mmCIF file of all heavy atoms in Angstrom:
data_model
loop_
_atom_site.group_PDB
_atom_site.id
_atom_site.type_symbol
_atom_site.label_atom_id
_atom_site.label_comp_id
_atom_site.label_asym_id
_atom_site.label_seq_id
_atom_site.Cartn_x
_atom_site.Cartn_y
_atom_site.Cartn_z
ATOM 1 N N TYR A 171 -33.791 -13.705 -7.323
ATOM 2 C CA TYR A 171 -32.737 -14.589 -6.939
ATOM 3 C C TYR A 171 -33.311 -16.031 -6.622
ATOM 4 O O TYR A 171 -32.728 -17.061 -7.096
ATOM 5 C CB TYR A 171 -31.970 -14.083 -5.668
ATOM 6 C CG TYR A 171 -31.063 -15.092 -5.058
ATOM 7 C CD1 TYR A 171 -29.847 -15.480 -5.680
ATOM 8 C CD2 TYR A 171 -31.463 -15.795 -3.884
ATOM 9 C CE1 TYR A 171 -28.992 -16.406 -5.126
ATOM 10 C CE2 TYR A 171 -30.610 -16.674 -3.305
ATOM 11 C CZ TYR A 171 -29.426 -17.050 -3.951
ATOM 12 O OH TYR A 171 -28.640 -18.017 -3.343
ATOM 13 N N GLU A 172 -34.299 -16.077 -5.788
ATOM 14 C CA GLU A 172 -34.829 -17.438 -5.345
ATOM 15 C C GLU A 172 -35.447 -18.144 -6.588
ATOM 16 O O GLU A 172 -35.312 -19.363 -6.747
ATOM 17 C CB GLU A 172 -35.820 -17.268 -4.281
ATOM 18 C CG GLU A 172 -35.144 -16.786 -2.976
ATOM 19 C CD GLU A 172 -36.125 -16.878 -1.811
ATOM 20 O OE1 GLU A 172 -36.869 -17.803 -1.637
ATOM 21 O OE2 GLU A 172 -36.149 -15.845 -1.036
ATOM 22 N N LEU A 173 -36.100 -17.409 -7.504
ATOM 23 C CA LEU A 173 -36.705 -18.023 -8.640
ATOM 24 C C LEU A 173 -35.648 -18.542 -9.609
ATOM 25 O O LEU A 173 -35.751 -19.704 -10.099
ATOM 26 C CB LEU A 173 -37.583 -16.997 -9.418
ATOM 27 C CG LEU A 173 -38.396 -17.492 -10.611
ATOM 28 C CD1 LEU A 173 -39.303 -18.600 -10.155
ATOM 29 C CD2 LEU A 173 -39.232 -16.338 -11.139
ATOM 30 N N LEU A 174 -34.621 -17.822 -9.925
ATOM 31 C CA LEU A 174 -33.543 -18.244 -10.792
ATOM 32 C C LEU A 174 -32.714 -19.364 -10.111
ATOM 33 O O LEU A 174 -32.191 -20.312 -10.771
ATOM 34 C CB LEU A 174 -32.664 -17.099 -11.174
ATOM 35 C CG LEU A 174 -31.707 -17.380 -12.328
ATOM 36 C CD1 LEU A 174 -32.376 -17.872 -13.593
ATOM 37 C CD2 LEU A 174 -30.779 -16.205 -12.643
ATOM 38 N N HIS A 175 -32.562 -19.284 -8.766
ATOM 39 C CA HIS A 175 -31.852 -20.335 -8.065
ATOM 40 C C HIS A 175 -32.576 -21.683 -8.240
ATOM 41 O O HIS A 175 -31.955 -22.759 -8.376
ATOM 42 C CB HIS A 175 -31.712 -19.962 -6.608
ATOM 43 C CG HIS A 175 -30.830 -20.834 -5.798
ATOM 44 N ND1 HIS A 175 -31.277 -22.001 -5.236
ATOM 45 C CD2 HIS A 175 -29.501 -20.825 -5.547
ATOM 46 C CE1 HIS A 175 -30.347 -22.636 -4.641
ATOM 47 N NE2 HIS A 175 -29.151 -21.939 -4.785
ATOM 48 N N ALA A 176 -33.983 -21.616 -8.157
ATOM 49 C CA ALA A 176 -34.705 -22.858 -8.412
ATOM 50 C C ALA A 176 -34.479 -23.412 -9.778
ATOM 51 O O ALA A 176 -34.388 -24.644 -9.951
ATOM 52 C CB ALA A 176 -36.181 -22.536 -8.101
ATOM 53 N N PHE A 177 -34.404 -22.569 -10.792
ATOM 54 C CA PHE A 177 -34.181 -22.971 -12.176
ATOM 55 C C PHE A 177 -32.791 -23.614 -12.237
ATOM 56 O O PHE A 177 -32.649 -24.710 -12.794
ATOM 57 C CB PHE A 177 -34.230 -21.776 -13.138
ATOM 58 C CG PHE A 177 -33.684 -22.119 -14.479
ATOM 59 C CD1 PHE A 177 -34.488 -22.683 -15.466
ATOM 60 C CD2 PHE A 177 -32.391 -21.695 -14.823
ATOM 61 C CE1 PHE A 177 -33.999 -22.983 -16.708
ATOM 62 C CE2 PHE A 177 -31.892 -21.994 -16.153
ATOM 63 C CZ PHE A 177 -32.723 -22.604 -17.076
ATOM 64 N N ALA A 178 -31.719 -22.958 -11.678
ATOM 65 C CA ALA A 178 -30.402 -23.520 -11.740
ATOM 66 C C ALA A 178 -30.304 -24.833 -10.967
ATOM 67 O O ALA A 178 -29.650 -25.806 -11.504
ATOM 68 C CB ALA A 178 -29.466 -22.499 -11.165
ATOM 69 N N HIS A 179 -30.983 -24.924 -9.871
ATOM 70 C CA HIS A 179 -30.961 -26.209 -9.107
ATOM 71 C C HIS A 179 -31.536 -27.345 -9.880
ATOM 72 O O HIS A 179 -31.028 -28.447 -9.978
ATOM 73 C CB HIS A 179 -31.728 -26.037 -7.805
ATOM 74 C CG HIS A 179 -31.809 -27.293 -6.935
ATOM 75 N ND1 HIS A 179 -30.680 -27.710 -6.190
ATOM 76 C CD2 HIS A 179 -32.805 -28.112 -6.778
ATOM 77 C CE1 HIS A 179 -31.075 -28.837 -5.632
ATOM 78 N NE2 HIS A 179 -32.339 -29.107 -5.889
ATOM 79 N N ASP A 180 -32.719 -27.009 -10.534
ATOM 80 C CA ASP A 180 -33.363 -28.075 -11.364
ATOM 81 C C ASP A 180 -32.443 -28.569 -12.554
ATOM 82 O O ASP A 180 -32.522 -29.670 -12.952
ATOM 83 C CB ASP A 180 -34.709 -27.570 -11.921
ATOM 84 C CG ASP A 180 -35.885 -27.659 -10.845
ATOM 85 O OD1 ASP A 180 -35.554 -28.114 -9.759
ATOM 86 O OD2 ASP A 180 -36.933 -27.211 -11.185
ATOM 87 N N LYS A 181 -31.739 -27.548 -13.076
ATOM 88 C CA LYS A 181 -30.953 -27.900 -14.247
ATOM 89 C C LYS A 181 -29.407 -28.293 -13.860
ATOM 90 O O LYS A 181 -28.626 -28.496 -14.722
ATOM 91 C CB LYS A 181 -30.808 -26.575 -15.118
ATOM 92 C CG LYS A 181 -32.133 -26.148 -15.675
ATOM 93 C CD LYS A 181 -32.779 -27.181 -16.546
ATOM 94 C CE LYS A 181 -34.119 -26.674 -17.123
ATOM 95 N NZ LYS A 181 -34.784 -27.595 -17.996
ATOM 96 N N LYS A 182 -29.323 -28.409 -12.516
ATOM 97 C CA LYS A 182 -27.953 -28.837 -11.953
ATOM 98 C C LYS A 182 -26.855 -27.832 -12.464
ATOM 99 O O LYS A 182 -25.751 -28.251 -12.853
ATOM 100 C CB LYS A 182 -27.573 -30.266 -12.397
ATOM 101 C CG LYS A 182 -28.549 -31.309 -11.842
ATOM 102 C CD LYS A 182 -28.178 -32.673 -12.262
ATOM 103 C CE LYS A 182 -28.986 -33.743 -11.575
ATOM 104 N NZ LYS A 182 -30.426 -33.561 -11.660
ATOM 105 N N LEU A 183 -27.158 -26.563 -12.370
ATOM 106 C CA LEU A 183 -26.159 -25.550 -12.699
ATOM 107 C C LEU A 183 -25.777 -24.768 -11.406
ATOM 108 O O LEU A 183 -26.613 -24.595 -10.464
ATOM 109 C CB LEU A 183 -26.793 -24.543 -13.686
ATOM 110 C CG LEU A 183 -27.162 -25.098 -15.087
ATOM 111 C CD1 LEU A 183 -27.947 -24.012 -15.887
ATOM 112 C CD2 LEU A 183 -25.945 -25.497 -15.845
ATOM 113 N N ARG A 184 -24.558 -24.307 -11.411
ATOM 114 C CA ARG A 184 -24.176 -23.426 -10.267
ATOM 115 C C ARG A 184 -24.460 -21.980 -10.691
ATOM 116 O O ARG A 184 -24.098 -21.502 -11.755
ATOM 117 C CB ARG A 184 -22.671 -23.526 -10.071
ATOM 118 C CG ARG A 184 -22.129 -22.728 -8.846
ATOM 119 C CD ARG A 184 -20.702 -23.116 -8.507
ATOM 120 N NE ARG A 184 -19.777 -22.792 -9.622
ATOM 121 C CZ ARG A 184 -19.127 -21.700 -9.683
ATOM 122 N NH1 ARG A 184 -19.285 -20.704 -8.777
ATOM 123 N NH2 ARG A 184 -18.255 -21.506 -10.656
ATOM 124 N N LEU A 185 -25.257 -21.284 -9.825
ATOM 125 C CA LEU A 185 -25.696 -19.930 -10.099
ATOM 126 C C LEU A 185 -24.701 -18.926 -9.517
ATOM 127 O O LEU A 185 -24.344 -18.980 -8.385
ATOM 128 C CB LEU A 185 -27.060 -19.709 -9.565
ATOM 129 C CG LEU A 185 -27.614 -18.282 -9.697
ATOM 130 C CD1 LEU A 185 -27.830 -17.942 -11.195
ATOM 131 C CD2 LEU A 185 -28.972 -18.197 -8.975
ATOM 132 N N GLU A 186 -24.255 -18.006 -10.414
ATOM 133 C CA GLU A 186 -23.479 -16.874 -9.954
ATOM 134 C C GLU A 186 -24.261 -15.605 -10.239
ATOM 135 O O GLU A 186 -24.655 -15.293 -11.378
ATOM 136 C CB GLU A 186 -22.174 -16.763 -10.810
ATOM 137 C CG GLU A 186 -21.197 -17.890 -10.477
ATOM 138 C CD GLU A 186 -19.904 -17.787 -11.289
ATOM 139 O OE1 GLU A 186 -19.778 -16.837 -12.101
ATOM 140 O OE2 GLU A 186 -19.014 -18.565 -11.027
ATOM 141 N N MET A 187 -24.578 -14.846 -9.162
ATOM 142 C CA MET A 187 -25.350 -13.597 -9.246
ATOM 143 C C MET A 187 -24.453 -12.376 -9.080
ATOM 144 O O MET A 187 -23.695 -12.387 -8.128
ATOM 145 C CB MET A 187 -26.487 -13.555 -8.249
ATOM 146 C CG MET A 187 -27.564 -14.652 -8.479
ATOM 147 S SD MET A 187 -28.720 -14.193 -9.879
ATOM 148 C CE MET A 187 -29.865 -13.128 -8.998
ATOM 149 N N PHE A 188 -24.602 -11.329 -9.925
ATOM 150 C CA PHE A 188 -23.817 -10.119 -9.807
ATOM 151 C C PHE A 188 -24.744 -8.974 -9.718
ATOM 152 O O PHE A 188 -25.472 -8.666 -10.611
ATOM 153 C CB PHE A 188 -22.904 -9.964 -11.046
ATOM 154 C CG PHE A 188 -21.958 -11.108 -11.235
ATOM 155 C CD1 PHE A 188 -22.343 -12.251 -12.010
ATOM 156 C CD2 PHE A 188 -20.656 -11.065 -10.821
ATOM 157 C CE1 PHE A 188 -21.472 -13.319 -12.257
ATOM 158 C CE2 PHE A 188 -19.824 -12.095 -11.022
ATOM 159 C CZ PHE A 188 -20.183 -13.211 -11.757
ATOM 160 N N PRO A 189 -24.800 -8.311 -8.553
ATOM 161 C CA PRO A 189 -25.638 -7.090 -8.342
ATOM 162 C C PRO A 189 -25.045 -5.935 -9.141
ATOM 163 O O PRO A 189 -23.822 -5.683 -9.002
ATOM 164 C CB PRO A 189 -25.624 -6.878 -6.838
ATOM 165 C CG PRO A 189 -24.440 -7.557 -6.334
ATOM 166 C CD PRO A 189 -24.155 -8.675 -7.250
ATOM 167 N N GLU A 190 -25.854 -5.238 -9.816
ATOM 168 C CA GLU A 190 -25.407 -4.053 -10.598
ATOM 169 C C GLU A 190 -26.568 -2.977 -10.513
ATOM 170 O O GLU A 190 -27.609 -3.316 -11.022
ATOM 171 C CB GLU A 190 -25.007 -4.382 -11.981
ATOM 172 C CG GLU A 190 -24.711 -3.252 -12.950
ATOM 173 C CD GLU A 190 -23.667 -2.326 -12.366
ATOM 174 O OE1 GLU A 190 -22.455 -2.817 -12.250
ATOM 175 O OE2 GLU A 190 -23.931 -1.188 -12.110
ATOM 176 N N MET A 191 -26.249 -1.804 -10.003
ATOM 177 C CA MET A 191 -27.315 -0.878 -9.845
ATOM 178 C C MET A 191 -27.680 -0.117 -11.199
ATOM 179 O O MET A 191 -28.798 0.304 -11.335
ATOM 180 C CB MET A 191 -26.971 0.176 -8.812
ATOM 181 C CG MET A 191 -26.639 -0.350 -7.410
ATOM 182 S SD MET A 191 -28.002 -1.487 -6.821
ATOM 183 C CE MET A 191 -29.397 -0.345 -6.683
ATOM 184 N N SER A 192 -26.759 0.005 -12.099
ATOM 185 C CA SER A 192 -26.969 0.724 -13.334
ATOM 186 C C SER A 192 -27.670 -0.114 -14.377
ATOM 187 O O SER A 192 -27.193 -1.179 -14.747
ATOM 188 C CB SER A 192 -25.642 1.249 -13.927
ATOM 189 O OG SER A 192 -25.827 1.611 -15.243
ATOM 190 N N PHE A 193 -28.829 0.354 -14.840
ATOM 191 C CA PHE A 193 -29.550 -0.362 -15.880
ATOM 192 C C PHE A 193 -28.680 -0.580 -17.131
ATOM 193 O O PHE A 193 -28.614 -1.606 -17.758
ATOM 194 C CB PHE A 193 -30.899 0.302 -16.193
ATOM 195 C CG PHE A 193 -31.623 -0.317 -17.326
ATOM 196 C CD1 PHE A 193 -32.332 -1.509 -17.114
ATOM 197 C CD2 PHE A 193 -31.655 0.233 -18.583
ATOM 198 C CE1 PHE A 193 -33.065 -2.157 -18.135
ATOM 199 C CE2 PHE A 193 -32.328 -0.388 -19.641
ATOM 200 C CZ PHE A 193 -33.031 -1.577 -19.471
ATOM 201 N N GLU A 194 -28.012 0.535 -17.444
ATOM 202 C CA GLU A 194 -27.253 0.589 -18.681
ATOM 203 C C GLU A 194 -26.032 -0.486 -18.607
ATOM 204 O O GLU A 194 -25.783 -1.159 -19.569
ATOM 205 C CB GLU A 194 -26.664 2.007 -18.952
ATOM 206 C CG GLU A 194 -27.703 3.037 -19.274
ATOM 207 C CD GLU A 194 -28.429 2.719 -20.537
ATOM 208 O OE1 GLU A 194 -27.928 2.049 -21.408
ATOM 209 O OE2 GLU A 194 -29.594 3.240 -20.670
ATOM 210 N N LYS A 195 -25.537 -0.544 -17.385
ATOM 211 C CA LYS A 195 -24.357 -1.534 -17.279
ATOM 212 C C LYS A 195 -24.893 -2.965 -17.230
ATOM 213 O O LYS A 195 -24.160 -3.892 -17.702
ATOM 214 C CB LYS A 195 -23.634 -1.245 -15.921
ATOM 215 C CG LYS A 195 -22.785 0.064 -16.019
ATOM 216 C CD LYS A 195 -21.969 0.230 -14.727
ATOM 217 C CE LYS A 195 -21.158 1.526 -14.843
ATOM 218 N NZ LYS A 195 -20.417 1.767 -13.616
ATOM 219 N N ARG A 196 -26.075 -3.187 -16.740
ATOM 220 C CA ARG A 196 -26.656 -4.516 -16.767
ATOM 221 C C ARG A 196 -26.897 -4.918 -18.249
ATOM 222 O O ARG A 196 -26.627 -6.001 -18.681
ATOM 223 C CB ARG A 196 -28.038 -4.583 -16.028
ATOM 224 C CG ARG A 196 -27.846 -4.367 -14.533
ATOM 225 C CD ARG A 196 -29.062 -4.853 -13.773
ATOM 226 N NE ARG A 196 -30.262 -4.054 -14.039
ATOM 227 C CZ ARG A 196 -30.636 -2.964 -13.381
ATOM 228 N NH1 ARG A 196 -29.849 -2.526 -12.362
ATOM 229 N NH2 ARG A 196 -31.702 -2.294 -13.598
ATOM 230 N N LEU A 197 -27.487 -4.012 -19.022
ATOM 231 C CA LEU A 197 -27.699 -4.228 -20.424
ATOM 232 C C LEU A 197 -26.384 -4.442 -21.206
ATOM 233 O O LEU A 197 -26.311 -5.390 -22.029
ATOM 234 C CB LEU A 197 -28.487 -2.981 -21.044
ATOM 235 C CG LEU A 197 -29.267 -3.209 -22.261
ATOM 236 C CD1 LEU A 197 -30.348 -4.251 -22.015
ATOM 237 C CD2 LEU A 197 -29.827 -1.911 -22.748
ATOM 238 N N ASP A 198 -25.412 -3.609 -20.915
ATOM 239 C CA ASP A 198 -24.100 -3.827 -21.549
ATOM 240 C C ASP A 198 -23.481 -5.184 -21.217
ATOM 241 O O ASP A 198 -22.869 -5.804 -22.117
ATOM 242 C CB ASP A 198 -23.116 -2.708 -21.101
ATOM 243 C CG ASP A 198 -21.841 -2.671 -21.800
ATOM 244 O OD1 ASP A 198 -21.829 -2.502 -23.023
ATOM 245 O OD2 ASP A 198 -20.767 -2.997 -21.150
ATOM 246 N N GLY A 199 -23.601 -5.618 -19.981
ATOM 247 C CA GLY A 199 -23.020 -6.910 -19.541
ATOM 248 C C GLY A 199 -23.710 -8.029 -20.282
ATOM 249 O O GLY A 199 -23.026 -9.017 -20.650
ATOM 250 N N ILE A 200 -25.015 -7.989 -20.510
ATOM 251 C CA ILE A 200 -25.755 -9.033 -21.310
ATOM 252 C C ILE A 200 -25.280 -9.016 -22.714
ATOM 253 O O ILE A 200 -24.983 -9.991 -23.364
ATOM 254 C CB ILE A 200 -27.271 -8.829 -21.165
ATOM 255 C CG1 ILE A 200 -27.738 -9.109 -19.780
ATOM 256 C CG2 ILE A 200 -27.982 -9.703 -22.159
ATOM 257 C CD1 ILE A 200 -27.713 -10.552 -19.342
ATOM 258 N N SER A 201 -25.176 -7.713 -23.308
ATOM 259 C CA SER A 201 -24.823 -7.571 -24.744
ATOM 260 C C SER A 201 -23.426 -8.208 -24.960
ATOM 261 O O SER A 201 -23.186 -8.768 -26.050
ATOM 262 C CB SER A 201 -24.843 -6.129 -25.102
ATOM 263 O OG SER A 201 -24.332 -5.861 -26.344
ATOM 264 N N LYS A 202 -22.515 -7.929 -24.008
ATOM 265 C CA LYS A 202 -21.079 -8.432 -24.288
ATOM 266 C C LYS A 202 -20.875 -9.799 -23.740
ATOM 267 O O LYS A 202 -19.674 -10.306 -23.937
ATOM 268 C CB LYS A 202 -20.125 -7.353 -23.607
ATOM 269 C CG LYS A 202 -20.175 -6.077 -24.382
ATOM 270 C CD LYS A 202 -19.223 -5.020 -23.652
ATOM 271 C CE LYS A 202 -19.224 -3.751 -24.410
ATOM 272 N NZ LYS A 202 -18.420 -2.659 -23.750
ATOM 273 N N GLY A 203 -21.800 -10.410 -23.202
ATOM 274 C CA GLY A 203 -21.650 -11.808 -22.740
ATOM 275 C C GLY A 203 -21.053 -12.026 -21.358
ATOM 276 O O GLY A 203 -20.665 -13.171 -21.015
ATOM 277 N N ARG A 204 -20.858 -10.912 -20.594
ATOM 278 C CA ARG A 204 -20.342 -11.171 -19.212
ATOM 279 C C ARG A 204 -21.406 -11.918 -18.394
ATOM 280 O O ARG A 204 -21.058 -12.619 -17.415
ATOM 281 C CB ARG A 204 -20.098 -9.815 -18.568
ATOM 282 C CG ARG A 204 -18.787 -9.039 -19.149
ATOM 283 C CD ARG A 204 -18.373 -7.958 -18.236
ATOM 284 N NE ARG A 204 -19.364 -6.874 -18.152
ATOM 285 C CZ ARG A 204 -19.447 -5.844 -18.981
ATOM 286 N NH1 ARG A 204 -18.658 -5.766 -20.007
ATOM 287 N NH2 ARG A 204 -20.313 -4.948 -18.761
ATOM 288 N N TYR A 205 -22.671 -11.719 -18.697
ATOM 289 C CA TYR A 205 -23.815 -12.321 -17.944
ATOM 290 C C TYR A 205 -24.633 -13.020 -18.967
ATOM 291 O O TYR A 205 -24.789 -12.614 -20.147
ATOM 292 C CB TYR A 205 -24.621 -11.351 -17.192
ATOM 293 C CG TYR A 205 -23.795 -10.285 -16.446
ATOM 294 C CD1 TYR A 205 -23.890 -8.923 -16.780
ATOM 295 C CD2 TYR A 205 -22.982 -10.615 -15.416
ATOM 296 C CE1 TYR A 205 -23.164 -7.964 -16.071
ATOM 297 C CE2 TYR A 205 -22.243 -9.717 -14.732
ATOM 298 C CZ TYR A 205 -22.338 -8.364 -15.072
ATOM 299 O OH TYR A 205 -21.598 -7.433 -14.411
ATOM 300 N N ASP A 206 -25.358 -14.077 -18.426
ATOM 301 C CA ASP A 206 -26.249 -14.881 -19.422
ATOM 302 C C ASP A 206 -27.643 -14.385 -19.288
ATOM 303 O O ASP A 206 -28.432 -14.489 -20.280
ATOM 304 C CB ASP A 206 -26.169 -16.343 -18.998
ATOM 305 C CG ASP A 206 -24.801 -16.926 -19.069
ATOM 306 O OD1 ASP A 206 -24.113 -16.716 -20.079
ATOM 307 O OD2 ASP A 206 -24.282 -17.547 -18.095
ATOM 308 N N VAL A 207 -28.143 -13.986 -18.059
ATOM 309 C CA VAL A 207 -29.464 -13.622 -17.815
ATOM 310 C C VAL A 207 -29.502 -12.341 -17.083
ATOM 311 O O VAL A 207 -28.834 -12.043 -16.120
ATOM 312 C CB VAL A 207 -30.174 -14.670 -16.878
ATOM 313 C CG1 VAL A 207 -31.677 -14.319 -16.713
ATOM 314 C CG2 VAL A 207 -30.098 -16.093 -17.517
ATOM 315 N N LEU A 208 -30.427 -11.418 -17.464
ATOM 316 C CA LEU A 208 -30.754 -10.228 -16.781
ATOM 317 C C LEU A 208 -31.942 -10.558 -15.851
ATOM 318 O O LEU A 208 -33.082 -10.545 -16.301
ATOM 319 C CB LEU A 208 -31.177 -9.101 -17.782
ATOM 320 C CG LEU A 208 -31.667 -7.738 -17.157
ATOM 321 C CD1 LEU A 208 -30.660 -7.227 -16.159
ATOM 322 C CD2 LEU A 208 -31.882 -6.736 -18.235
ATOM 323 N N ALA A 209 -31.636 -10.872 -14.625
ATOM 324 C CA ALA A 209 -32.642 -11.422 -13.743
ATOM 325 C C ALA A 209 -33.088 -10.420 -12.733
ATOM 326 O O ALA A 209 -32.922 -10.543 -11.467
ATOM 327 C CB ALA A 209 -32.034 -12.669 -13.039
ATOM 328 N N THR A 210 -33.711 -9.410 -13.232
ATOM 329 C CA THR A 210 -34.435 -8.444 -12.373
ATOM 330 C C THR A 210 -35.601 -7.939 -13.238
ATOM 331 O O THR A 210 -35.512 -7.923 -14.449
ATOM 332 C CB THR A 210 -33.572 -7.255 -11.956
ATOM 333 O OG1 THR A 210 -34.246 -6.495 -10.967
ATOM 334 C CG2 THR A 210 -33.143 -6.388 -13.129
ATOM 335 N N GLY A 211 -36.755 -7.697 -12.587
ATOM 336 C CA GLY A 211 -37.875 -7.339 -13.435
ATOM 337 C C GLY A 211 -37.644 -6.159 -14.300
ATOM 338 O O GLY A 211 -37.477 -5.056 -13.822
ATOM 339 N N THR A 212 -37.620 -6.401 -15.610
ATOM 340 C CA THR A 212 -37.377 -5.379 -16.617
ATOM 341 C C THR A 212 -38.628 -5.110 -17.387
ATOM 342 O O THR A 212 -39.284 -6.086 -17.857
ATOM 343 C CB THR A 212 -36.200 -5.825 -17.491
ATOM 344 O OG1 THR A 212 -35.073 -6.047 -16.696
ATOM 345 C CG2 THR A 212 -35.913 -4.740 -18.489
ATOM 346 N N VAL A 213 -38.967 -3.873 -17.578
ATOM 347 C CA VAL A 213 -40.176 -3.540 -18.300
ATOM 348 C C VAL A 213 -40.011 -3.915 -19.763
ATOM 349 O O VAL A 213 -39.040 -3.604 -20.454
ATOM 350 C CB VAL A 213 -40.491 -2.000 -18.233
ATOM 351 C CG1 VAL A 213 -41.765 -1.680 -19.018
ATOM 352 C CG2 VAL A 213 -40.726 -1.636 -16.847
#
């Protein structure tokens, strides 16, 4: 969160973070465009 917040601040963007416990749902959200970045350490 803090790392991506620093990126958004530098780029003058408003950051919206959505917590999601399911890896599959996170992936699906990126695939369908609900989210722009999967911002959690992913192997």
Side-chain angles (χ1 to χ4, degrees):
Y171 167 74
E172 293 189 42
L173 185 58
L174 190 59
H175 188 274
F177 169 80
H179 178 76
D180 280 358
K181 300 298 183 180
K182 297 180 172 54
L183 298 171
R184 185 167 65 90
L185 177 61
E186 293 182 353
M187 292 285 277
F188 300 88
E190 173 55 65
M191 299 312 294
S192 166
F193 175 78
E194 295 297 336
K195 288 182 179 178
R196 292 196 295 270
L197 203 60
D198 183 67
I200 292 291
S201 173
K202 292 179 178 175
R204 288 195 297 273
Y205 317 116
D206 304 308
V207 183
L208 175 53
T210 190
T212 303
V213 179

